[in-house]
Amino acid sequence: MESISASPPTPLRSLSPAAAAPEIDFGSFAHRPARIIPASKAYFSGSPRFIDALLELEAIEAKYASLPTVAPIDAPRMAWLKLPQFRDFVGEPIPMKKYKSLVKILQQLNRIQPELVPTQVRDTLAKFLRPGNPYATEVVPRTVDESGCARGKGKRKESHAVVQLVEGEGEVLVNGKSIVEVFKRVHDRESALWALRVTQRMDKYNAWIRVKGGGVTGQAEAITLALGRALMMHEPGLKSVLRKAGTITVDPRRVERKKPGHVKARKMPTWVKR
């Protein structure tokens, strides 16, 4: 058999530098990032401005955690933004639960000892204050007028009462009538005049009362509040007695509304299986 001689392999040609791929100049991309990086860490969340504010407060709280604090009752009174005002401030629909967490941090920062409050904390708290400090103006207590008459107002449920109280012999008129004619039940009469009875002032003052709206019980309790406030103008020293008797404490309770599908506010219709 004939022998086949293998031809020697052809040597590879070496690539010249001119034929190689050009080097990439990464310096030309320094001013053009591969992707745009948001300025806010919470950019992709539903409420970035709120989260930014919360993170800022948490960072400040951690930074000044070592400063001494005072008791909550001794801290300066601050009127923080209400929820609707805060929503307008950040432009986001913040729920109440999240806003309470932010206010909790504000209250903690406000407890720092006033002499040691840093400028950063003071400036940060000022952002969340309501415009016009409502605690800056002191409420001037109402007093008896020049004719010796004290005027008190009271509300209960749908009833409104106005009492004019002057020193006298114990005469009481309700809408121009005797109190016995207006309130047939003894309980309602006792409730209406409880402020005078508990302080033993039944025979010392005359009361002219105007009451409207609501039912008999609501009107009697509205008179109780109005009469207690008017009596406190004559004798401010009776405030502790009137407060213990409950005659100057507002009762905000209302009847719960009826619900659709219910017999009453909470009662459901009777279910019968068969």
Side-chain angles (χ1 to χ4, degrees), residues 13 29 62 81 94 97 99 138 176 219 233 240:
R13 294 180 298 173
F29 294 94
L81 291 173
I94 306 301
K97 185 176 181 180
Y99 180 63
E138 297 183 0
Q219 289 185 354
M233 293 183 194
S240 59

mmCIF file of all heavy atoms in Angstrom, residues 13 29 62 81 94 97 99 138 176 219 233 240:
data_model
loop_
_atom_site.group_PDB
_atom_site.id
_atom_site.type_symbol
_atom_site.label_atom_id
_atom_site.label_comp_id
_atom_site.label_asym_id
_atom_site.label_seq_id
_atom_site.Cartn_x
_atom_site.Cartn_y
_atom_site.Cartn_z
ATOM 1 N N ARG A 13 -1.433 32.731 11.469
ATOM 2 C CA ARG A 13 -0.899 34.065 11.313
ATOM 3 C C ARG A 13 -1.197 34.885 12.577
ATOM 4 O O ARG A 13 -2.301 34.905 13.075
ATOM 5 C CB ARG A 13 -1.515 34.755 10.093
ATOM 6 C CG ARG A 13 -1.128 34.083 8.760
ATOM 7 C CD ARG A 13 -1.778 34.806 7.605
ATOM 8 N NE ARG A 13 -3.227 34.744 7.720
ATOM 9 C CZ ARG A 13 -4.053 35.410 6.905
ATOM 10 N NH1 ARG A 13 -3.555 36.178 5.954
ATOM 11 N NH2 ARG A 13 -5.338 35.305 7.056
ATOM 12 N N PHE A 29 -17.620 57.562 29.915
ATOM 13 C CA PHE A 29 -18.945 57.251 30.459
ATOM 14 C C PHE A 29 -19.108 57.753 31.892
ATOM 15 O O PHE A 29 -20.074 57.428 32.551
ATOM 16 C CB PHE A 29 -19.191 55.733 30.434
ATOM 17 C CG PHE A 29 -19.284 55.157 29.049
ATOM 18 C CD1 PHE A 29 -18.161 54.625 28.428
ATOM 19 C CD2 PHE A 29 -20.483 55.150 28.374
ATOM 20 C CE1 PHE A 29 -18.230 54.098 27.161
ATOM 21 C CE2 PHE A 29 -20.566 54.621 27.095
ATOM 22 C CZ PHE A 29 -19.434 54.100 26.484
ATOM 23 N N ALA A 62 -31.708 58.837 66.750
ATOM 24 C CA ALA A 62 -30.582 57.982 67.109
ATOM 25 C C ALA A 62 -29.327 58.805 67.401
ATOM 26 O O ALA A 62 -28.526 58.443 68.271
ATOM 27 C CB ALA A 62 -30.309 56.990 65.986
ATOM 28 N N LEU A 81 -48.785 69.364 63.165
ATOM 29 C CA LEU A 81 -49.714 69.412 62.032
ATOM 30 C C LEU A 81 -50.774 68.331 62.183
ATOM 31 O O LEU A 81 -50.466 67.194 62.552
ATOM 32 C CB LEU A 81 -48.954 69.190 60.721
ATOM 33 C CG LEU A 81 -48.001 70.303 60.260
ATOM 34 C CD1 LEU A 81 -47.216 69.830 59.055
ATOM 35 C CD2 LEU A 81 -48.762 71.570 59.930
ATOM 36 N N ILE A 94 -51.407 59.811 53.332
ATOM 37 C CA ILE A 94 -50.821 59.079 54.455
ATOM 38 C C ILE A 94 -51.932 58.596 55.388
ATOM 39 O O ILE A 94 -52.787 59.392 55.798
ATOM 40 C CB ILE A 94 -49.837 59.973 55.227
ATOM 41 C CG1 ILE A 94 -48.789 60.547 54.273
ATOM 42 C CG2 ILE A 94 -49.166 59.188 56.336
ATOM 43 C CD1 ILE A 94 -47.978 59.529 53.550
ATOM 44 N N LYS A 97 -52.397 55.604 60.918
ATOM 45 C CA LYS A 97 -51.475 54.763 61.680
ATOM 46 C C LYS A 97 -50.021 55.164 61.407
ATOM 47 O O LYS A 97 -49.205 55.234 62.328
ATOM 48 C CB LYS A 97 -51.691 53.302 61.302
ATOM 49 C CG LYS A 97 -50.878 52.326 62.125
ATOM 50 C CD LYS A 97 -51.211 50.896 61.777
ATOM 51 C CE LYS A 97 -50.395 49.930 62.625
ATOM 52 N NZ LYS A 97 -50.710 48.512 62.299
ATOM 53 N N TYR A 99 -49.010 58.120 60.349
ATOM 54 C CA TYR A 99 -48.777 59.473 60.865
ATOM 55 C C TYR A 99 -48.547 59.447 62.372
ATOM 56 O O TYR A 99 -47.732 60.217 62.898
ATOM 57 C CB TYR A 99 -49.951 60.377 60.510
ATOM 58 C CG TYR A 99 -49.800 61.786 61.010
ATOM 59 C CD1 TYR A 99 -48.769 62.596 60.549
ATOM 60 C CD2 TYR A 99 -50.667 62.312 61.960
ATOM 61 C CE1 TYR A 99 -48.618 63.896 61.010
ATOM 62 C CE2 TYR A 99 -50.519 63.611 62.419
ATOM 63 C CZ TYR A 99 -49.497 64.385 61.939
ATOM 64 O OH TYR A 99 -49.337 65.652 62.401
ATOM 65 N N GLU A 138 -53.220 82.926 75.744
ATOM 66 C CA GLU A 138 -53.874 82.408 76.931
ATOM 67 C C GLU A 138 -55.381 82.676 76.865
ATOM 68 O O GLU A 138 -55.811 83.752 76.460
ATOM 69 C CB GLU A 138 -53.292 83.051 78.189
ATOM 70 C CG GLU A 138 -51.822 82.738 78.407
ATOM 71 C CD GLU A 138 -51.317 83.335 79.694
ATOM 72 O OE1 GLU A 138 -52.139 83.984 80.394
ATOM 73 O OE2 GLU A 138 -50.132 83.151 80.009
ATOM 74 N N GLY A 176 -89.383 80.524 80.480
ATOM 75 C CA GLY A 176 -90.474 81.335 81.003
ATOM 76 C C GLY A 176 -91.459 80.587 81.866
ATOM 77 O O GLY A 176 -92.451 81.174 82.315
ATOM 78 N N GLN A 219 -82.307 67.691 77.543
ATOM 79 C CA GLN A 219 -82.438 69.083 77.975
ATOM 80 C C GLN A 219 -82.032 69.237 79.437
ATOM 81 O O GLN A 219 -81.364 70.219 79.813
ATOM 82 C CB GLN A 219 -83.871 69.552 77.768
ATOM 83 C CG GLN A 219 -84.251 69.732 76.310
ATOM 84 C CD GLN A 219 -85.638 70.320 76.152
ATOM 85 O OE1 GLN A 219 -86.369 70.500 77.133
ATOM 86 N NE2 GLN A 219 -86.018 70.623 74.916
ATOM 87 N N MET A 233 -68.435 80.710 87.497
ATOM 88 C CA MET A 233 -68.038 82.106 87.296
ATOM 89 C C MET A 233 -68.246 82.926 88.558
ATOM 90 O O MET A 233 -67.445 83.798 88.890
ATOM 91 C CB MET A 233 -68.849 82.712 86.142
ATOM 92 C CG MET A 233 -68.553 82.129 84.789
ATOM 93 S SD MET A 233 -69.503 82.960 83.503
ATOM 94 C CE MET A 233 -69.299 81.824 82.139
ATOM 95 N N SER A 240 -63.490 72.299 92.023
ATOM 96 C CA SER A 240 -63.189 70.906 92.375
ATOM 97 C C SER A 240 -64.442 70.156 92.786
ATOM 98 O O SER A 240 -64.633 68.988 92.422
ATOM 99 C CB SER A 240 -62.155 70.867 93.502
ATOM 100 O OG SER A 240 -62.642 71.547 94.646
#
